[in-house]
Amino acid sequence: MELVSPETVVADPNNPRKTDPARLELVRLSLEKFGFLLPLYATKAGVILSGHQRAVAARQLGWQLPVVFRQKDERDAHGVNLTFNRATNDFRLTDTDHSRLPIEDLFFRLQDLPDAPDPYPCLTMEQWSVGELLSRNVDRFERYAANAARQLAAYNVQMPIVITPGGDVLNGIGRLQEASARRQDMIDCVVLKPDQDAELARFTLNKLSMDFSFSDGFKDVLRNNAFRRARQRRRSLGSGYLFAFGVKRCRDFSIGKHRKELRALYGERLLDFGAGQGDEARILRKIGVKVTTFEPYRASGKKPTVTAGRRSAFRFLKAVSQQLPFSSVMLSSVLNSVPFETDRAHVVTICAALCSPDTTLFAAARSRKDPNWKECSTGIGLGETSSRSARFVLSDEPGLAVSELNADPKIQKYFQPSEFEALFERHFGAVTIGEHINNVTAVCQHPHPVNPARLRKALEFEFDLPYADGRMGLVEEALAAFSKRLGVAL
């Protein structure tokens, strides 16, 4: 830990927190009254990972900053930024909306406190027994906080905890639990002064976090991270392909036995939009179904690249330009991973434009009956595997959750049937909504006439998607292919 001038560090331009002036004033007051109880964290290049608001407040006070510098590349920084936020505060699973703080009351309470005798108490930490602290604070255990702390430990970050002189944990209960899980005997502690207001310190440490507001840069990171992970390979057709058959368990469905039924339902040529690893397309091709795929974010053990995305797009646009008819269009487990509402609308616009009067669009996506959503929204049944992701709910839109903070942060959307219906009825005359194995499903027919302006906007989005190494850059090619297919000038 180093004590440095505020000019030594810079804010992360993709910091997913928006500054609220009233809460920033509370942060400044809390620094005056309690000092830096926890350090800031930054990359070796000086980009802040944790402590953006405290850095601003310290500049206003003319203070130096206690900073722990560490080496993290840009990809890691996107996940660690979210991880620090969840692990620094003693959050419960559903603590995401901080807009209802009693700001005026807190302001007056903090003003009445004496100034901290030491602006930097985090520089004088003490070693305390993990076992003794656990026994004293057992009633404060919070499983989600421990899961978030485990994520932070994966980055090899050992953040201190804040306690009273008697050993009551004011901040860091999850980090204490994680230290115990690692069989750690001692833990670094910042000890509040005996005459300082412990409960007010607890509140300012845990409740003054700013609300999420993803910058354009961070949104692009989340879009790029929508790719289907290498572990998510399929050996059989998924719910998106089998819900129309009423199958109770997808793995029990025999492709060989139902070859004729599959071909009768889906027809001779199928479009798999958002094909993931291409597993289901390969399965269908084995029984003679012609399948065109499009997957802008295909990743084979690595992150998606511009080259791979453009390769898939060129093949797809060739089929579009050749005016190949699609008897069926599939959106199987795609819309869950498209992170933003406007992005999902663009995807459906493009798929609808590819539907002729004889085409049927089949779609399936996880509903809010899915166990992962229940774990996010209520914490019930939070198992060991899922808990390692330390996922949490976003308040930007109903049914949104962020997960995989320790790798490539990913947004998942969990749908209500009414939301799914609204997404498709704008484009189709007949939309049948159903449910299948924790999924909401849609069968869509009789497409409405194409709206050229809406389609152009959708193509400008989809064919200039972001990657870690650039952008797709195929908007003109997409406009030309769709213009030729539809006979309209886009």
Side-chain angles (χ1 to χ4, degrees):
M1 192 185 308
E2 302 176 38
L3 198 59
V4 301
S5 70
E7 290 70 28
T8 307
V9 296
V10 295
D12 182 352
N14 291 325
N15 176 38
R17 289 289 184 181
K18 61 183 178 183
T19 298
D20 172 59
R23 267 177 279 180
L24 181 60
E25 177 63 13
L26 290 177
V27 172
R28 185 189 65 78
L29 268 174
S30 71
L31 283 182
E32 284 186 315
K33 306 307 179 181
F34 297 109
F36 277 98
L37 294 170
L38 292 172
L40 281 71
Y41 288 80
T43 67
K44 285 293 184 184
V47 179
I48 297 174
L49 297 169
S50 174
H52 285 83
Q53 311 310 323
R54 287 178 293 150
V56 173
R59 286 188 181 96
Q60 294 175 352
L61 293 169
W63 289 10
Q64 291 185 296
L65 302 174
V67 182
V68 175
F69 290 96
R70 32 184 300 100
Q71 187 65 56
K72 282 292 175 184
D73 62 29
E74 184 181 8
R75 180 185 69 84
D76 285 331
H78 295 128
V80 77
N81 203 315
L82 293 173
T83 302
F84 265 113
N85 177 262
R86 304 309 290 177
T88 302
N89 306 278
D90 286 348
F91 283 146
R92 292 169 298 178
L93 182 67
T94 52
D95 284 340
T96 56
D97 184 1
H98 310 287
S99 61
R100 299 181 180 179
L101 291 176
I103 290 177
E104 187 174 347
D105 177 60
L106 283 170
F107 182 83
F108 287 116
R109 290 180 64 189
L110 283 168
Q111 269 195 326
D112 288 340
L113 296 178
D115 288 349
D118 176 11
Y120 309 106
C122 62
L123 294 178
T124 54
M125 294 182 290
E126 301 178 10
Q127 287 259 303
W128 283 57
S129 163
V130 170
E132 290 180 11
L133 289 172
L134 283 172
S135 62
R136 185 171 181 85
N137 292 276
V138 66
D139 60 327
R140 295 189 183 277
F141 285 3
E142 175 58 52
R143 186 172 183 182
Y144 179 77
N147 296 335
R150 185 185 300 124
Q151 295 286 316
L152 198 60
Y155 287 100
N156 197 30
V157 174
Q158 304 299 320
M159 184 183 293
I161 67 174
V162 182
I163 63 173
T164 67
D168 294 327
V169 174
L170 303 177
N171 172 271
I173 190 64
R175 301 194 295 279
L176 176 63
Q177 291 171 256
E178 171 59 15
S180 175
R182 294 196 310 271
R183 301 182 183 278
Q184 191 173 314
D185 293 328
M186 307 294 287
I187 189 169
D188 287 332
C189 298
V190 178
V191 184
L192 207 67
K193 295 291 186 287
D195 58 345
Q196 291 182 306
D197 189 323
E199 287 309 308
L200 198 51
R202 187 196 305 277
F203 194 96
T204 59
L205 281 163
N206 298 306
K207 299 296 185 182
L208 292 186
S209 182
M210 302 293 173
D211 293 326
F212 278 102
S213 179
F214 295 119
S215 67
D216 289 342
F218 206 100
K219 285 181 178 179
D220 279 351
V221 170
L222 293 169
R223 290 180 176 114
N224 184 55
N225 289 348
F227 64 92
R228 185 174 293 177
R229 278 34 176 178
R231 66 178 182 275
Q232 297 171 316
R233 302 304 298 262
R234 291 193 182 277
R235 297 182 179 180
S236 60
L237 296 178
S239 182
Y241 281 83
L242 298 181
F243 72 84
F245 291 92
V247 177
K248 292 185 177 180
R249 292 202 312 174
C250 295
R251 64 187 179 188
D252 293 339
F253 186 85
S254 170
I255 303 297
K257 290 181 181 179
H258 297 91
R259 179 190 305 248
K260 291 183 179 180
E261 292 95 326
L262 280 167
R263 295 188 64 174
L265 179 64
Y266 295 130
E268 292 299 316
R269 183 176 294 278
L270 180 148
L271 169 63
D272 188 350
F273 195 98
Q277 305 287 354
D279 297 324
E280 288 161 318
R282 282 188 287 273
I283 292 170
L284 288 172
R285 285 170 182 149
K286 288 180 180 179
I287 63 170
V289 178
K290 298 175 183 177
V291 184
T292 297
T293 62
F294 176 52
E295 176 49 72
Y297 286 132
R298 183 172 180 179
S300 300
K302 299 179 180 179
K303 292 196 70 171
T305 63
V306 169
T307 300
R310 287 170 63 92
R311 186 184 304 123
S312 177
F314 275 127
R315 287 196 295 262
F316 169 64
L317 292 175
K318 181 179 180 181
V320 171
S321 180
Q322 290 174 342
Q323 302 181 16
L324 297 179
F326 299 119
S327 49
S328 297
V329 174
M330 310 300 297
L331 279 170
S332 176
S333 304
V334 173
L335 294 171
N336 289 118
S337 297
V338 181
F340 304 108
E341 186 175 12
T342 54
D343 298 3
R344 295 190 289 272
H346 289 326
V347 168
V348 175
T349 294
I350 293 169
C351 289
L354 295 170
C355 292
S356 71
D358 299 322
T359 304
T360 300
L361 184 147
F362 298 88
R366 292 181 181 184
S367 75
R368 282 179 225 169
K369 293 183 179 179
D370 189 276
N372 286 334
W373 173 251
K374 292 180 180 179
E375 291 166 356
C376 288
S377 57
T378 67
I380 297 173
L382 192 62
E384 177 70 14
T385 301
S386 60
S387 71
R388 289 186 180 276
S389 74
R391 59 172 66 94
F392 63 93
V393 174
L394 287 174
S395 58
D396 302 56
E397 177 190 352
L400 280 189
V402 179
S403 63
E404 304 196 34
L405 304 188
N406 64 336
D408 301 297
K410 182 176 184 177
I411 285 182
Q412 289 278 290
K413 165 70 176 178
Y414 298 86
F415 289 91
Q416 294 281 35
S418 59
E419 293 175 312
F420 219 49
E421 184 175 28
L423 194 55
F424 292 100
E425 66 180 0
R426 185 181 190 183
H427 300 278
F428 294 90
V431 177
T432 303
I433 299 297
E435 295 183 274
H436 182 254
I437 315 178
N438 297 321
N439 286 269
V440 59
T441 62
V443 179
C444 306
Q445 296 173 309
H446 310 310
H448 296 319
V450 171
N451 181 316
R454 186 184 300 157
L455 178 58
R456 181 185 179 94
K457 191 173 182 179
L459 294 173
E460 288 172 341
F461 163 77
E462 187 69 23
F463 291 91
D464 197 31
L465 286 170
Y467 297 81
D469 56 341
R471 303 192 77 90
M472 183 179 284
L474 294 179
V475 172
E476 293 304 318
E477 291 82 349
L479 292 172
F482 275 78
S483 293
K484 180 178 179 181
R485 181 187 184 90
L486 301 173
V488 298
L490 296 174

